[in-house]
């Protein structure tokens, strides 16, 4: 203790007597300890102050677009509920899926939530039929949102007044039949899940058209107790024949399903798809192009295993395979008559909430871009909008 006093007074005098330096060396470990202790305390104070500044003033080191999307509840509930103003983000799929998987665990929303349908356009390039969709969406702004996944090289040129303007999500190459097509679907779902008011998720392509007006489609989807995804089991080369025994025991042959990729999913099922880490690796490894087409099997199989009772086992999107070949028929102006639409819309029979109905399809594909003017001139007659 004497040493301390001596040392202090020596410092006050501005010089260090040799004797003390000598003693200092003798007590070097103690002195160092004290120094580190002081440094430690300083560091803690610094960290505390900077954290306080970070929280209260909001000094972030990330780009402004991210701040807007993830302010969180501290900034007021409103900012948490408000959909991301900008769909552009820097997250990779791992980060995006993680963000999308954050779910409230309290069932009741403490605010007026108007559930929306997320229309997710999976396209290569342009959306030639968008003027028909514009007309379909008109006047229903509160009830839908749009997401576009296209080739990464495609740069859309929608007018700022268009509902498609700025709705492209960060996209990657997606090839038919390959797992990267399922990746694109999951990416669409994940981006759409970031908007807390999206409740139903509809996958459509650039060759799809709506067959009914918005209110009919909204009611049909929102009142359904099941999600619309084709999922059937068939002992044929193009169904069970594509199963690979390497998928056991997570996916057994009897679990294998096939269905068209054009789905409508509830929020609950959309989440299940985004957070799947059990089936995804099996499909990525064992369902490969040429012998297996993952976009026809992954979701039907995985959701049948996870949520059998939530599935209607049929798709809402009409398509014509009757002409044979690997691709469905392309319909143009000459095919698209009033009687054709009557047949598609009212000519069927299927189950809706355990009752039989004639209205089985709400969308149709594949429609040629050249049919646009014809459809626009007759849309009221054909579709009621
Ligand atoms: C995304 O970034 C994180 C953090 O850098 C990394 O751990 C993860 O592997 C990345 N995921 C992909 C799919 O690249
Ligand atoms: C939509 O169509 C249905 C019949 O198909 C009709 O009863 C309803 O009034 C239409 N809604 C609007 C908003 O036009
Ligand atoms: C697949 O079959 C095995 C053996 O019968 C069984 O243990 C496993 O639970 C089955 N998997 C599923 C997903 O039902
Ligand atoms: C869909 O198919 C599964 C079997 O794969 C069945 O258990 C389920 O009841 C079916 N759903 C409806 C609505 O019929
Ligand atoms: C439909 O029928 C099944 C079996 O009959 C029943 O379990 C289910 O609750 C019914 N669902 C609806 C929405 O009525």
């Amino acid at each position: 203790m004497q040493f301390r006093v001596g040392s202090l007074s020596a410092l006050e005098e501005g010089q260090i007597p040799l004797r003390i330096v000598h003693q200092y060396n003798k007590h070097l470990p103690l002195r160092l300890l004290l120094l580190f202790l002081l440094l430690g305390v300083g560091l803690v104070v610094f960290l505390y102050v900077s954290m306080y500044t970070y929280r209260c003033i909001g000094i972030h080191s990330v780009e402004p677009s991210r701040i807007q999307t993830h302010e969180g509840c501290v900034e007021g509930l409103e900012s948490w509920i408000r959909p991301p103003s900008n769909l552009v983000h820097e997250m990779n799929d791992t980060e995006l899926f993680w963000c999308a998987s954050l779910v409230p665990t309290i069932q009741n929303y403490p605010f007026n939530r108007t559930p929306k349908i997320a229309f997710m356009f999976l396209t290569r390039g342009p959306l030639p039929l968008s003027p028909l969709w514009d007309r379909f969406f008109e006047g229903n702004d509160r009830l839908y949102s749009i997401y576009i996944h296209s080739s990464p090289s495609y740069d859309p040129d929608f007018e700022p007044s268009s509902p498609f303007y700025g709705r492209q999500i960060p996209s990657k190459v997606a090839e038919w039949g390959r797992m990267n097509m399922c990746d694109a679907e999951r990416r669409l779902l994940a981006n759409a899940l970031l908007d807390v008011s999206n409740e139903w998720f509809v996958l459509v392509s650039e060759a799809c058209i709506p067959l009914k007006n918005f209110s009919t489609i909204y009611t049909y989807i929102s009142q359904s107790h099941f999600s619309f995804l084709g999922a059937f089991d068939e002992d044929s080369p193009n169904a069970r024949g594509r199963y690979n025994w390497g998928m056991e025991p997570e996916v057994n042959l009897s679990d294998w399903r096939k269905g068209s990729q054009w789905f409508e999913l509830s929020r609950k099922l959309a989440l299940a798809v985004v957070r799947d880490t059990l089936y995804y690796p099996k499909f990525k490894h064992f369902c490969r192009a040429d012998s297996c087409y993952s976009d026809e099997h992954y979701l039907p199989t995985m959701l049948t295993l996870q949520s059998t009772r939530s599935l209607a086992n049929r798709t809402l999107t009409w398509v014509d395979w009757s002409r044979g070949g690997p691709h469905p028929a392309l319909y143009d102006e000459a095919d698209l008559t009033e009687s054709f639409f009557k047949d598609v819309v009212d000519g069927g029979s299927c189950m809706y909430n355990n009752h039989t109905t004639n209205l089985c399809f709400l969308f149709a594909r594949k429609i040629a871009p050249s049919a646009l003017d014809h459809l626009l001139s007759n849309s009221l007659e054909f579709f009621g909008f």
Side-chain angles (χ1 to χ4, degrees):
M1 288 303 110
Q2 219 188 338
F3 152 74
R4 262 175 142 190
V5 174
S7 134
L8 265 182
S9 60
L11 282 174
E12 275 158 19
E13 283 163 25
Q15 48 178 208
I16 307 168
L18 276 176
R19 183 170 48 85
I20 293 179
V21 170
H22 183 68
Q23 276 188 358
Y24 175 95
N25 284 343
K26 249 167 86 182
H27 291 84
L28 188 62
L30 191 72
R31 197 69 200 272
L32 270 176
L33 202 76
L34 207 75
L35 196 73
F36 279 125
L37 209 77
L38 236 92
L39 270 175
V41 168
L43 199 73
V44 166
V45 167
F46 173 77
L47 277 178
Y48 182 79
V49 167
S50 44
M51 261 168 69
Y52 183 80
T53 324
Y54 175 86
R55 288 174 69 167
C56 291
I57 309 178
I59 300 173
H60 292 236
S61 58
V62 285
E63 318 82 278
S65 67
R66 285 215 208 176
I67 298 171
Q68 276 173 14
T69 351
H70 301 289
E71 289 136 328
C73 291
V74 242
E75 304 273 322
L77 189 58
E78 186 53 39
S79 70
W80 189 257
I81 301 164
R82 200 188 319 120
S85 52
N86 187 349
L87 294 187
V88 179
H89 59 70
E90 303 274 316
M91 290 182 280
N92 67 22
D93 285 351
T94 315
E95 296 163 330
L96 170 68
F97 290 5
W98 183 82
C99 279
S101 74
L102 299 173
V103 284
T105 52
I106 294 181
Q107 293 304 313
N108 295 328
Y109 294 94
F111 52 91
N112 286 329
R113 176 178 183 263
T114 307
K116 294 192 286 193
I117 300 181
F119 287 88
M120 309 185 300
F121 288 82
L122 182 57
T123 85
R124 267 156 292 200
L127 294 166
L129 301 171
S130 64
L132 184 67
W133 285 99
D134 288 348
R135 198 175 282 182
F136 167 77
F137 288 128
E138 211 177 310
N140 297 290
D141 290 353
R142 286 171 52 249
L143 301 176
Y144 74 88
S145 47
I146 292 176
Y147 298 84
I148 306 169
H149 187 290
S150 63
S151 301
S153 57
Y154 176 64
D155 190 14
D157 59 347
F158 293 108
E159 297 290 321
S161 59
S162 160
F164 292 92
Y165 180 77
R167 302 309 297 173
Q168 193 177 23
I169 64 161
S171 309
K172 289 190 181 151
V173 171
E175 300 148 291
W176 305 104
R178 294 183 185 272
M179 204 59 189
N180 57 19
M181 181 60 76
C182 297
D183 294 342
E185 293 173 8
R186 298 175 93 203
R187 209 172 286 129
L188 275 164
L189 286 170
N191 278 282
L193 278 166
L194 296 181
D195 180 347
V196 69
S197 44
N198 286 329
E199 185 63 27
W200 304 282
F201 301 79
V202 176
L203 187 70
V204 281
S205 81
E206 67 261 58
C208 278
I209 54 166
L211 294 173
K212 285 284 187 183
N213 63 22
F214 190 92
S215 53
T216 305
I217 288 184
Y218 186 87
T219 307
Y220 195 95
I221 289 177
S222 60
Q223 309 269 300
S224 173
H225 298 123
F226 304 96
S227 285
F228 295 96
L229 174 75
F232 62 88
D233 178 19
E234 191 182 85
D235 196 2
S236 71
N238 285 331
R240 282 202 177 197
R242 294 180 185 164
Y243 176 75
N244 184 311
W245 294 99
M247 293 192 179
E248 278 190 326
E250 286 86 352
V251 181
N252 294 331
L253 181 61
S254 58
D255 305 320
W256 189 249
R257 292 289 181 280
K258 181 178 176 170
S260 138
Q261 76 183 123
W262 309 106
F263 59 69
E264 180 276 319
L265 297 180
S266 65
R267 194 169 176 95
K268 182 183 140 230
L269 296 191
L271 258 164
V273 172
V274 165
R275 68 164 154 224
D276 170 40
T277 51
L278 180 63
Y279 307 107
Y280 180 87
K282 288 275 161 174
F283 278 82
K284 196 175 171 76
H285 196 252
F286 293 108
C287 183
R288 290 170 170 276
D290 296 338
S291 58
C292 185
Y293 300 87
S294 40
D295 55 80
E296 292 183 359
H297 298 281
Y298 172 57
L299 293 187
T301 305
M302 181 239 144
L303 288 174
T304 293
L305 278 162
Q306 284 223 324
S307 286
T308 318
R309 292 161 62 84
S310 311
L311 299 181
N313 302 323
R314 67 182 176 90
T315 178
L316 292 175
T317 306
W318 183 89
V319 72
D320 177 13
W321 286 100
S322 70
R323 299 184 191 178
H327 297 291
L330 184 68
Y331 276 65
D332 62 19
E333 183 175 337
D335 306 302
L336 302 170
T337 59
E338 196 175 355
S339 73
F340 163 78
F341 286 116
K342 267 211 144 44
D343 279 356
V344 169
V345 169
D346 297 320
S349 170
C350 54
M351 297 300 280
Y352 179 79
N353 288 347
N354 288 357
H355 299 291
T356 312
T357 177
N358 291 335
L359 183 54
C360 303
F361 297 109
L362 303 181
F363 310 101
R365 62 187 285 270
K366 301 170 74 170
I367 309 300
S370 57
L372 178 66
D373 287 341
H374 170 65
L375 295 177
L376 284 175
S377 327
N378 298 286
S379 67
L380 195 60
E381 219 181 314
F382 292 166
F383 318 119
F385 63 84

